[in-house]
Amino acid sequence: MVRQKEFDVEKALDDAMQLFWEKGFEATSLSDLTSKMGIQRPSIYATFGDKKELFEAALRKYSASHASKIRTKLQHSSSVKAGFRTFFEDIVEEQYSESCNRGCFCINTMVELAPHDEKFEILTREHQMYLAAIFEETIERGLRSGELKTDMNAKALAQTLVVSLIGLTVMMKSRPERSFVEHSIEVILTLLE
């Protein structure tokens, strides 16, 4: 007879995701995970596999949720330009208002693990490409509506905005002067003019 799980798997994965997001892969111990998730090591191994597999599951969950939120935010904006402005400004606002500056879990992984782990190089690159596709789809909407100039290269602009997003998110970890970041966002947004 198969034994039923005595814990909420999704909640445990969310708890692991929050911990990995805050501390990173290397700095998170199995003891940290058992404490945060409220389950013992055998349950972690039986449900998620080893620490790296658990991290991968948490990263995949984050990436899907993060991309979905970005798509929804941009799709529900009446203006493409205003949508991107709000998107970039919200990143800055969130980072300055949070006491714990976690940044983006996926970008943190790109910096911590991707340089020496092919699986995480691929996973973080996939997330970047998915964000580029969301941005491109949004830019194309602006081209169709006439809000954006028709001579824009939607794909190249989307990729440039992803590079800007990654750079901004990494830089925010050091809490630069707010005016430095705000001026940079203004220049980034001129790409949509």
Side-chain angles (χ1 to χ4, degrees), residues 72-166:
T72 299
K73 183 180 276 192
L74 290 173
Q75 282 180 341
H76 288 94
S77 179
S78 59
S79 160
V80 169
K81 291 178 184 178
F84 277 112
R85 175 173 293 283
T86 300
F87 171 72
F88 278 99
E89 288 176 348
D90 284 353
I91 291 168
V92 173
E93 192 59 43
E94 287 169 16
Q95 295 305 310
Y96 281 112
S97 65
E98 290 183 6
S99 58
C100 175
N101 191 359
R102 299 183 299 175
C104 169
F105 182 26
C106 191
I107 294 171
N108 294 347
T109 302
M110 183 181 66
V111 172
E112 180 185 14
L113 296 178
H116 55 269
D117 189 307
E118 186 178 8
K119 176 179 269 187
F120 292 105
E121 175 189 338
I122 292 166
L123 287 174
T124 57
R125 188 178 323 119
E126 286 173 355
H127 187 64
Q128 295 161 30
M129 294 301 100
Y130 192 57
L131 292 180
I134 293 169
F135 287 2
E136 185 176 354
E137 151 190 311
T138 305
I139 292 163
E140 286 173 348
R141 179 169 51 100
L143 293 171
R144 284 190 305 274
S145 73
E147 181 183 357
L148 301 178
K149 293 179 187 173
T150 57
D151 64 343
M152 285 186 173
N153 180 328
K155 183 174 186 170
L157 179 55
Q159 291 170 344
T160 302
L161 291 174
V162 170
V163 170
S164 299
L165 167 64
I166 292 169

Side-chain angles (χ1 to χ4, degrees), residues 6-118:
E6 296 176 6
F7 62 93
D8 183 333
V9 173
E10 286 304 309
K11 182 186 179 314
L13 184 56
D14 282 340
D15 290 342
M17 181 181 71
Q18 294 300 324
L19 188 60
F20 281 131
W21 188 358
E22 183 180 323
K23 296 181 79 170
F25 177 76
E26 293 296 335
T28 302
S29 69
L30 277 171
S31 295
D32 293 334
L33 288 164
T34 58
S35 176
K36 178 78 172 174
M37 297 168 75
I39 59 177
Q40 298 304 310
R41 287 179 191 209
S43 294
I44 290 176
Y45 292 130
T47 306
F48 303 105
D50 65 15
K51 177 181 160 184
K52 198 171 200 180
E53 291 170 311
L54 174 58
F55 185 89
E56 180 182 343
L59 180 62
R60 286 183 184 278
K61 181 177 179 107
Y62 172 87
S63 294
S65 172
H66 183 245
S68 177
K69 286 177 187 173
I70 291 171
R71 171 174 265 133
T72 299
K73 183 180 276 192
L74 290 173
Q75 282 180 341
H76 288 94
S77 179
S78 59
S79 160
V80 169
K81 291 178 184 178
F84 277 112
R85 175 173 293 283
T86 300
F87 171 72
F88 278 99
E89 288 176 348
D90 284 353
I91 291 168
V92 173
E93 192 59 43
E94 287 169 16
Q95 295 305 310
Y96 281 112
S97 65
E98 290 183 6
S99 58
C100 175
N101 191 359
R102 299 183 299 175
C104 169
F105 182 26
C106 191
I107 294 171
N108 294 347
T109 302
M110 183 181 66
V111 172
E112 180 185 14
L113 296 178
H116 55 269
D117 189 307
E118 186 178 8

